[in-house]
Amino acid sequence: MVSFDHRQPGTDEGSWTAALRRDLPALDLDVDRLLVVAAHPDDETLGAAGLLATAAARGIPIDLLVATDGERSHPDSPTHTPATLALLRRRELHAAMGQLGLSAAPVFLGLPDGGTDEHRDAIAAAVTHALDRAGSDRVLVLSPWRGDGHRDHRVVGEIVEEVCAARGVHSRAFPIWLWHWGTSDDVPWDRAERLALDPSVQDAKTRALDAHASQLRPLSPAPGDEAMVHVRMRAHFERDAEVFFAPEGVGASAGAEVRDAEGSLVPQGAGATPAPTARMAEGAGASVVVPRESADAAGPSASVGQAYFDDMYARHDDPWGFDSRWYEERKRAVLLAALPWRHYRATFEAGCSTGALTAQLANRSDRVLAVDLAEAALERARRRLGDRANVELRRATLPDDWPEGAFDLVVLSEVAYYWAGSDLDRGLAAAVASLTPDGHLVACHWRHPVAEYPRSGDEVHDALAARSDLVRLVRHEEEDFVLEVFAHPGARSVAAEAGLVS
């Protein structure tokens, strides 16, 4: 087991310069698509930014999955909370990817930093889903190296190798901390490949590295806010080449030929039918079967499904007290008061429940589309709304059944914390995509933890604030709930729209 301290000087880059003079085979980039699976925001930049910039320049599509937000990078920081760091690091990743020429938005799984081992199924499901979407494309999957000496890097690297081996998909791993703690004797040279970086790609990587300021520079002069990647460490990522490792049992520059226990060749290609995967139990010789899990598998990493809501409505007429609690009545009034416009053309309400808010939105909209996945909730909403001609109620499971069309108001009230894993990012992306150029997205969520919910309200709002395609117009924060209104970049405040300020 490797043990190291990031604050130590580490291996000098000069030692690696000599070691890397050896003749390594070139990394094969003859692929249709790249899938990068990072344990934290910045892994992909440190280890593979040159490859990403090279692929982007060649027009190769690139998908990026990020398992955690890296919120524990500074556990003793007196100036930044984990939630603040998570938000900051997502923003930095968006900026870094822009420098490398990536156009597709990263998918953030939002798993606990340092806790990937407890969420293997969620990571495997996300990788599997990304490969499924790639269809018959020839995909190269990149991840941190499992031997890097960092637990999250090991776990993500193991999962990627397992999923790819089962499907016959090529994978390569990039080391990060190896360069800090290791020597030439620690490198699996027989599986190493090299990608030369031309000067323009090196410049792009430098700019991408600079975007991760929270990791490369101190957060403040205070103890606990030191840089995670100091100058000597950064030197390892300013080379004119990047190094990648093939999986064990696959020589450098060899294809990912995989055979099952009977010796039969596993079909290759992202769309190949997966076989069961097996991983070695740590410190033991026995293998443990890791089944392929779907994204909706039951458990804490799954989005809350229909059964939960059906049960709630079966046992209670008003499960959350929308009609009986002053708290709920007051919160609706705050939400309505926060809307920048007096009247909207088309409103979409996600998760309308029994229609308490829907009725009031209808008073300020030409047309309202309100959806919920529970038929019992919709039936009560129909009784409340009667024959309101400007309201359409529809059953839908979000984010999968996001409606077509454009809306100048999208309402996410007490709904997005039900979305686990990539469902949150897909839901928010769908919400933004359905906004008209001048539209508003209002989000309002309970802040206290609920055992059945995969996320907190604060996590939802951190994810919204991290989006580069939104700007915040309104924020109202109380101990119990947070309410925000977002719009597309360039939107102006209510006072500016009214001509009170320029």
Side-chain angles (χ1 to χ4, degrees), residues 56 60-63 94 97-106 468:
I60 299 173
I62 302 171
D63 299 316
H94 278 286
M97 295 302 96
Q99 295 296 337
L100 299 176
L102 275 68
S103 57
S468 59

Side-chain angles (χ1 to χ4, degrees), residues 245-322:
F245 300 144
E248 291 185 28
V250 179
S253 293
E257 182 178 283
V258 182
R259 295 183 182 273
D260 61 22
E262 286 73 40
S264 300
L265 187 65
V266 175
Q268 297 209 4
T273 302
T277 60
R279 60 181 171 88
M280 298 304 294
E282 259 187 284
S287 64
V288 181
V289 174
V290 182
R292 179 189 176 200
E293 299 287 350
S294 71
D296 348 63
S301 62
S303 295
V304 179
Q306 182 175 345
Y308 171 81
F309 296 99
D310 286 347
D311 178 66
M312 291 293 287
Y313 288 110
R315 291 188 291 116
H316 306 282
D317 288 335
D318 187 15
W320 288 275
F322 294 135

